Amino acid sequence: MEKVKVLDKTFRTMVKHADIMAAISDVASRINRDYKDCEEPPLLLCILNGAIPFTAELMKHLNFDHELACMKVKSYEGTATTGKVKVDMAPTTSFKGRKVIIAEDIVDTGITIHFLKKFIKDEGASDVRVSTLMFKPESFSRNAGMLAGRGERMTPPEYIGMSIPDAFILGFGMDYNEIGRNYRDIYVLDEQ
């Protein structure tokens, strides 16, 4: 489909399914390289609900033993971030002494991954890295600069599938008010 209507908004195709699969394969190969010699199985942490499709596909490409856990956080309402992270579902396992790979659908402002990394490290993880399907470098840089002014340091994800412009997207797990996660392609808000 070239365009889709979700609730009161129209979206147009931005990334086709085949390109999404290629990006996930690339992310997995980089993770495989970095974790090939792990003695203890790392923990792959799926951030619900958006990262479910990304995590499911990523797991198929990982060639090392790992444990899967889930956590649900929220920082968006409608098409905008609230600027605050709310934990809707606590982690389903202990992080103590673990290497953790966070699987996120999209990193936009970086507020969520900044919160998650701190939260997981505070819970005793030995190492925390972030993998994301989509990354918005412009939005991330703006917010990182603001946090730096407050003495906080924010780092970009270690594993990025695709960098995209600062626009609202949905599909392949990403939503608009909880609708549109089921699309195989990724769509961008059509402002015309």
Side-chain angles (χ1 to χ4, degrees):
M1 294 180 280
E2 228 17 71
K3 289 193 177 188
V4 294
K5 185 164 175 63
V6 177
L7 301 175
D8 61 333
K9 307 260 185 246
T10 301
F11 296 82
R12 68 184 187 305
T13 305
M14 180 181 195
V15 183
K16 292 287 195 182
H17 188 73
D19 296 324
I20 296 168
M21 294 297 104
I24 293 170
S25 179
D26 182 57
V27 166
S29 68
R30 287 181 274 143
I31 293 173
N32 284 331
R33 181 190 64 226
D34 291 349
Y35 287 85
K36 68 178 187 248
D37 297 324
C38 272
E39 292 179 19
E40 301 262 335
L43 180 66
L44 183 62
L45 181 65
C46 176
I47 305 303
L48 302 174
N49 287 331
I52 291 172
F54 172 58
T55 306
E57 289 299 326
L58 182 64
M59 288 175 61
K60 294 175 189 177
H61 297 280
L62 297 180
N63 59 18
F64 55 86
D65 289 337
H66 58 278
E67 183 182 337
L68 175 66
C70 298
M71 183 173 176
K72 187 172 184 180
V73 296
K74 185 175 184 178
S75 66
Y76 261 80
E77 286 181 15
T79 61
T81 181
T82 63
K84 296 190 183 331
V85 180
K86 177 184 168 209
V87 175
D88 281 351
M89 184 182 92
T92 55
T93 191
S94 171
F95 297 124
K96 192 158 183 65
R98 304 290 303 271
K99 290 185 177 187
V100 179
I101 306 163
I102 297 170
E104 258 289 25
D105 54 351
I106 186 166
V107 173
D108 186 338
T109 63
I111 292 169
T112 302
I113 63 163
H114 182 69
F115 169 86
L116 286 169
K117 283 179 121 175
K118 184 176 180 341
F119 180 91
I120 294 166
K121 284 180 182 174
D122 288 350
E123 292 290 316
S126 63
D127 183 60
V128 182
R129 297 184 191 182
V130 177
S131 64
T132 185
L133 178 58
M134 309 298 274
F135 178 58
K136 295 182 183 178
E138 293 169 32
S139 180
F140 184 88
S141 293
R142 268 194 313 274
N143 201 55
M146 287 188 296
L147 284 178
R150 296 192 318 222
E152 295 182 55
R153 185 171 178 270
M154 207 164 66
T155 57
E158 287 80 5
Y159 309 103
I160 296 169
M162 295 180 199
S163 291
I164 61 169
D166 192 6
F168 188 80
I169 60 174
L170 68 73
F172 205 78
M174 292 164 274
D175 70 295
Y176 168 52
N177 285 339
E178 298 300 327
I179 307 296
R181 295 184 192 277
N182 58 305
Y183 294 115
R184 288 172 43 92
D185 297 332
I186 293 174
Y187 294 83
V188 63
L189 185 60
D190 190 3
E191 309 220 38
Q192 299 176 8

